[in-house]
């Protein structure tokens, strides 16, 4: 069999060949190449609608790929230094959930930092695994959780020798990296898997000026958000595995929850984006790094803003830093991050990725231009001048150590009752509460509600954070375990 080349895009090429055949469709989707939904066709265009097709022999099947999808997976594995890669059409949430479900069953432990994405904990609701937290160290100045200290991971492994896996954020939303190579070795030396939530680290595979990637560090599985910094369509993702993970077992796990109607628009976008990164990724991300460094230099000349970078590295809880992450501390302006986020959107038509209590994140990737950076810098300068005020005592600590009382699954499915936020103090929460983005829970099912957590939620509401998770959309009530 002829060796595949990174210059090819098997799914895209098969779709182009199929499009030219002018096949008459008596299958799904029901819009029949757009004819049945002219308004949608006007929105998306006839080319897009013609490529929104169902699985068939010439186009392979995502659940059991044997031809073009299989080839696209093999090319992705090669590009991302993995033993195998799975194309995921349920977002990186689906990739993360498949990682957890592949290594742990009900009652089994996974060691992880508390500042994980909600998908990690929703997976535990599904499979019944139990989280064992390594409390991340925090930056008091920046008010953000950092990475996991290797010494802390070693201690928790020693206390929980029966754990099945250790999960690492590589990197965090803010760009902070733990020492993933040392953590992988610790996990493997103790008979555990090492999993990486690499949602924000796609670009690590295409530059030696960025932190080490999970696969190069020896991790067993990594969930990679191609749509974030890799350029594919929203909701498309990759799940990478190392040589110690059985491909067939992981495929079975993925097929428990992933659709049997995989979108060829999403899959072809993964295919084309992988080709783009494999051929041009190194030079592209070189430019992204240059843009980020230029932006950081300019922003740090604006009084009150601090765009932090590698100077926060301490070789422990901040082992390395992703310089493409333009994270900006705002509190010296007297403004919370979420307030700057709102001002940039409402006054200057600039959409930032997220704002928390003390920081904003401008997400830079392959599509950014210098003139857009300049517009961001000038707008931040105006925000500081027009809206800045004397620094006030805002909540600076983003991380509140959780009190885990029962497993996420047990709490989620337990008999529950609704209580006002203040009345819920002392009870065990049965639902998620999180600011989105980044989607890191303030509260997760099974955790004890404390006064500090309620104050955190009230402050987030007051500052205009988008809070999701609870059954009560107004976030005035919480569901808690009945009588507990």
């Amino acid at each position: 069999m002829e060796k595949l080349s990174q210059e090819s895009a098997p799914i895209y090429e098969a779709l182009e060949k199929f499009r030219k055949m002018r096949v008459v469709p008596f299958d799904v989707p029901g819009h029949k190449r757009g004819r049945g939904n002219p308004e949608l066709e006007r929105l998306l265009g006839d080319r897009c609608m013609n490529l929104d097709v169902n699985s068939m022999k010439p186009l392979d099947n995502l659940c059991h790929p044997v031809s073009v999808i299989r080839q696209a997976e093999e090319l992705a594995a090669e590009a991302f230094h993995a033993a195998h890669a799975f194309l995921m059409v349920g977002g990186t949430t689906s990739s993360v959930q498949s990682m957890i479900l592949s290594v742990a069953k009900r009652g089994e432990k996974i060691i992880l930092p508390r500042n994980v994405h909600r998908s990690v904990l929703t997976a535990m609701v599904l499979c019944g695994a139990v989280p064992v937290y390594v409390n991340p160290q925090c930056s008091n100045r920046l008010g953000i959780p950092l990475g996991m200290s290797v010494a802390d991971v070693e201690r928790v492994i020693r206390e929980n020798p029966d754990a099945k896996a250790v999960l690492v954020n590589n990197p965090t939303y803010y760009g902070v990296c733990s020492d993933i190579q040392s953590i992988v070795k610790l996990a493997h030396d103790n008979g555990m898997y090492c999993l990486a939530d690499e949602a924000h680290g796609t670009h690590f595979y295409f530059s030696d000026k960025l932190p080490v990637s999970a696969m190069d560090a020896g991790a067993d599985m990594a969930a990679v958000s191609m749509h974030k910094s890799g350029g594919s369509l929203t909701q498309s993702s990759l799940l990478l595995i190392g040589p110690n993970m059985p491909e067939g077992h992981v495929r079975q796990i993925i097929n428990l929850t992933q659709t049997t109607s995989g979108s060829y628009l999403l899959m072809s976008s993964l295919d084309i984006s992988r080709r783009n990164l494999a051929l041009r990724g190194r030079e592209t991300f070189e430019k992204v790094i240059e843009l980020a460094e230029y932006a950081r230099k300019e922003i740090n000349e604006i009084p009150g803003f601090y765009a932090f970078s590698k100077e926060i590295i301490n070789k422990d809880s901040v082992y390395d830093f992703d310089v493409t992450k333009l994270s900006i501390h705002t509190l010296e302006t007297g403004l919370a991050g979420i307030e700057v986020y709102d001002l940039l959107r409402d006054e200057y038509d600039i959409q930032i990725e997220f704002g928390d209590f003390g920081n904003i994140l401008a997400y830079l990737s392959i599509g950014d231009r210098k003139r857009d950076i300049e517009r961001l810098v000038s707008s931040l300068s105006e925000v500081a001048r027009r809206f800045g005020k004397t620094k006030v005592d805002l909540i600076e600590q983003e991380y509140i150590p959780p009190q885990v009382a029962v497993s996420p699954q047990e709490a989620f499915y337990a008999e529950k009752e609704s209580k006002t936020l203040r009345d819920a103090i002392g009870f065990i929460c049965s639902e998620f509460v999180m600011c989105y983005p980044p989607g890191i829970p303030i509260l997760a099912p099974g955790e004890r509600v404390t006064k500090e957590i309620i104050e955190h939620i009230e402050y987030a509401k007051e500052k205009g954070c988008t809070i999701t998770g609870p059954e009560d959309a107004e976030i005035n009530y919480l569901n808690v375990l009945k009588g507990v």
Side-chain angles (χ1 to χ4, degrees):
M1 183 175 164
E2 188 180 341
K3 189 177 187 303
L4 293 168
S5 164
Q6 288 293 338
E7 293 184 357
S8 66
I11 298 173
Y12 167 69
E13 290 157 11
L15 282 170
E16 283 292 284
K17 183 178 177 181
F18 177 78
R19 186 174 61 85
K20 291 171 183 172
M21 290 170 64
R22 304 181 68 82
V23 171
V24 178
F26 284 103
D27 62 350
V28 297
H31 60 67
K32 303 296 172 111
R33 314 293 188 264
R35 291 191 301 273
N37 196 338
E39 289 166 318
L40 186 58
E41 186 178 38
R42 279 197 296 275
L43 173 67
L44 299 180
D46 64 340
R47 190 175 183 85
C48 181
M49 298 300 283
N50 269 295
L51 296 180
D52 183 38
V53 293
N54 192 30
S55 296
M56 59 190 77
K57 274 194 176 179
L59 298 179
D60 210 354
N61 187 296
L62 183 59
C63 293
H64 185 74
V66 295
S67 59
V68 294
I69 295 176
R70 178 77 191 184
Q71 290 169 357
E73 289 183 342
E74 289 171 0
L75 285 167
E78 182 181 77
F80 285 85
H81 318 157
H84 192 74
F86 301 89
L87 306 187
M88 306 293 289
V89 295
T92 306
T93 288
S94 176
S95 299
V96 169
Q97 289 175 337
S98 296
M99 283 200 307
I100 302 293
L101 270 60
S102 292
V103 300
K105 300 188 287 291
R106 186 172 186 179
E108 294 181 337
K109 299 174 185 174
I110 296 184
I111 295 167
L112 67 161
R114 180 57 178 78
N115 55 323
V116 290
H117 188 263
R118 65 173 292 177
S119 55
V120 175
L121 296 169
T122 57
M124 294 187 169
V125 169
L126 294 174
C127 71
V130 179
V132 178
Y133 291 124
V134 177
N135 289 337
Q137 295 180 23
C138 294
S139 165
N140 289 326
R141 178 183 177 186
L142 301 175
I144 62 170
L146 303 173
M148 293 190 292
S149 158
V150 173
D152 287 344
V153 174
E154 188 172 20
R155 175 181 51 78
V156 174
I157 285 176
R158 196 165 56 246
E159 292 168 355
N160 298 272
D162 55 339
K164 292 294 179 180
V166 180
L167 184 138
V168 187
N169 291 321
N170 194 52
T172 69
Y173 224 138
Y174 301 95
V176 173
C177 293
S178 302
D179 183 358
I180 188 170
Q181 286 175 299
S182 295
I183 293 172
V184 165
K185 186 175 186 310
L186 268 176
H188 288 173
D189 287 350
N190 287 275
M192 301 175 190
Y193 292 111
C194 186
L195 318 178
D197 181 345
E198 213 160 32
H200 301 283
T202 306
H203 44 299
F204 288 4
Y205 292 88
F206 303 97
S207 176
D208 54 10
K209 294 183 178 179
L210 294 170
V212 66
S213 69
M215 287 291 107
D216 288 338
D220 298 292
M221 305 183 81
V224 175
S225 276
M226 276 289 277
H227 70 93
K228 287 188 169 73
S229 59
S232 64
L233 290 177
T234 295
Q235 202 176 306
S236 58
S237 177
L238 293 175
L239 177 58
L240 310 176
I241 62 172
N244 296 328
M245 293 302 302
E247 178 196 332
H249 170 67
V250 175
R251 176 95 62 195
Q252 283 187 320
I253 296 294
I254 290 170
N255 285 341
L256 289 175
T257 55
Q258 181 154 265
T259 178
T260 55
S261 304
S263 165
Y264 279 86
L265 296 173
L266 296 180
M267 287 189 283
S268 60
S269 86
L270 283 169
D271 202 18
I272 292 167
S273 299
R274 179 272 314 150
R275 179 174 68 180
N276 179 46
L277 294 182
L279 300 181
R280 293 174 286 276
R282 292 194 175 275
E283 62 190 73
T284 301
F285 286 115
E286 186 81 27
K287 292 173 184 170
V288 175
I289 292 168
E290 287 174 9
L291 276 180
E293 297 289 27
Y294 166 73
R296 205 170 272 115
K297 177 177 174 293
E298 295 294 309
I299 290 167
N300 283 336
E301 292 178 5
I302 303 170
F305 287 120
Y306 169 41
F308 50 94
S309 186
K310 286 193 168 188
E311 70 278 358
I312 70 170
I313 290 174
N314 58 23
K315 286 301 174 184
D316 186 29
S317 55
V318 187
Y319 185 78
D320 207 346
F321 184 80
D322 175 9
V323 293
T324 73
K325 296 289 186 295
L326 189 54
S327 301
I328 306 162
H329 189 59
T330 67
L331 288 185
E332 297 297 327
T333 64
L335 298 167
I338 188 62
E339 291 173 310
V340 176
Y341 170 99
D342 287 340
L343 286 167
L344 285 172
R345 186 193 60 242
D346 298 342
E347 300 284 332
Y348 301 96
D349 295 330
I350 291 176
Q351 182 59 56
I352 293 295
E353 172 67 9
F354 79 86
D356 60 27
F357 296 158
N359 306 275
I360 58 172
L361 173 66
Y363 211 103
L364 303 190
S365 67
I366 61 177
D368 286 293
R369 303 169 297 182
K370 188 170 183 180
R371 67 174 178 266
D372 297 328
I373 297 292
E374 289 167 345
R375 181 170 163 186
L376 171 63
V377 170
S378 64
S379 298
L380 284 170
S381 182
E382 281 199 34
V383 166
R385 180 177 55 81
R386 291 178 59 197
F387 304 100
K389 46 188 183 279
T390 304
K391 182 183 176 184
V392 293
D393 287 330
L394 304 177
I395 290 182
E396 294 189 25
Q397 189 58 275
E398 274 289 299
Y399 178 75
I400 301 172
Q403 297 179 21
V404 180
V406 299
S407 76
Q409 185 183 68
E410 184 181 341
F412 190 82
Y413 291 110
E415 190 176 357
K416 60 199 71 170
E417 58 185 330
S418 179
K419 290 188 175 290
T420 65
L421 293 183
R422 288 283 165 171
D423 287 345
I425 293 172
F427 287 82
I428 299 169
C429 191
S430 71
E431 55 190 354
F432 291 94
V433 184
M434 67 210 84
C435 288
Y436 194 84
I440 295 167
I442 300 169
L443 260 177
E447 294 176 1
R448 185 82 59 184
V449 182
T450 65
K451 181 171 176 285
E452 292 77 19
I453 286 169
I454 294 303
E455 287 172 350
H456 193 92
I457 294 169
E458 290 172 340
Y459 185 81
K461 286 176 62 179
E462 176 195 328
K463 290 297 179 183
C465 290
T466 300
I467 299 179
T468 64
E471 193 175 307
D472 172 32
E474 301 299 316
I475 326 293
N476 293 319
Y477 294 86
L478 283 179
N479 285 339
V480 298
L481 270 62
K482 196 164 188 177
V484 180

